[in-house]
Amino acid sequence: MTTPIAGEGAVDAYAKLAELGLTLPQVAAPLAAYVPAVQTGNHVYVSGQLPLVDGKLPLTGKVGAEVTPEQGADLARTCALNALAAIEALVGLGRLVKIVKVTGFVAVAPGFTGVPAVINGASNLFGEVLGEQGRHARSAVGVAELPLGAPVEVEVIAEVA
C-alpha cells in the first residue's frame, strides 16, 4: 500500500473540517523555549498541544477525579485540532500526507487506567478529518501532572509532501 501524496487521492482536510463544522484555532503561543512545530525533511514534529480554547484551558484536573473520561476525550479532540492548526501554520494542511505518530499524555487520578480511551478523542478527530491519512501509530501514557494543570496533552509527527 502506498501513501497518497497531497493532491493525489488525498482527503481535502479543509473541506472535511468545514463539513464537520470545525475551524482551526490560532496556534497557541509556546509556554516555554520551543516552537509549536518544526519541519525537518518530509516530517513535521508538533510540540505537545494542550486543549486550549481561546488561550484558556476549559477544564483542569485529573481524569478519573475532577475530569470524566468523556470530558478527557473531548479535550484530546481539542488537542488534535490544535495540532492541525500548528501544521497549517507551518506548512499548510494541503501538504499533509499522513499523521504518522500520536503520543497522548493524560493526567490521571490514582487507579485510572482508561488512558487509551481518552486519547481516542484525538485519534478519532484525525480519522474524521483525514480518513486513511489520519490513521497512525500511537502511544497513550498516564502521567501525574501536565502543564497548567491540563488533563491531556497530545504531540504529533506528520509526513508532508
Side-chain angles (χ1 to χ4, degrees), residues 10-151:
V11 170
D12 181 344
Y14 302 108
K16 197 62 175 173
L17 285 164
E19 179 185 317
L20 294 169
L22 299 171
T23 56
L24 293 176
Q26 291 290 337
V27 178
L31 300 175
Y34 62 91
V35 295
V38 65
Q39 180 182 0
T40 183
N42 64 343
H43 287 94
V44 170
Y45 293 78
V46 180
S47 296
Q49 298 293 304
L50 299 179
L52 296 170
V53 176
D54 296 325
K56 297 182 179 143
L57 288 172
L59 291 171
T60 59
K62 307 280 171 77
V63 177
E66 301 86 4
V67 178
T68 68
E70 295 77 19
Q71 289 170 318
D74 286 342
L75 293 169
R77 182 179 176 88
T78 300
C79 293
L81 195 59
N82 290 343
L84 290 176
I87 295 168
E88 168 67 11
L90 185 66
V91 299
L93 290 181
R95 291 188 51 204
L96 183 61
V97 173
K98 182 156 190 67
I99 300 295
V100 177
K101 174 80 189 282
V102 171
T103 304
F105 304 94
V106 180
V108 295
F112 181 78
T113 60
V115 173
V118 172
I119 299 305
N120 277 349
S123 294
N124 291 341
L125 183 273
F126 290 131
E128 290 170 25
V129 173
L130 301 168
E132 187 63 29
Q133 293 168 266
R135 290 176 50 93
H136 52 268
R138 186 179 92 177
S139 297
V141 182
V143 299
E145 298 288 340
L146 288 169
L148 305 178

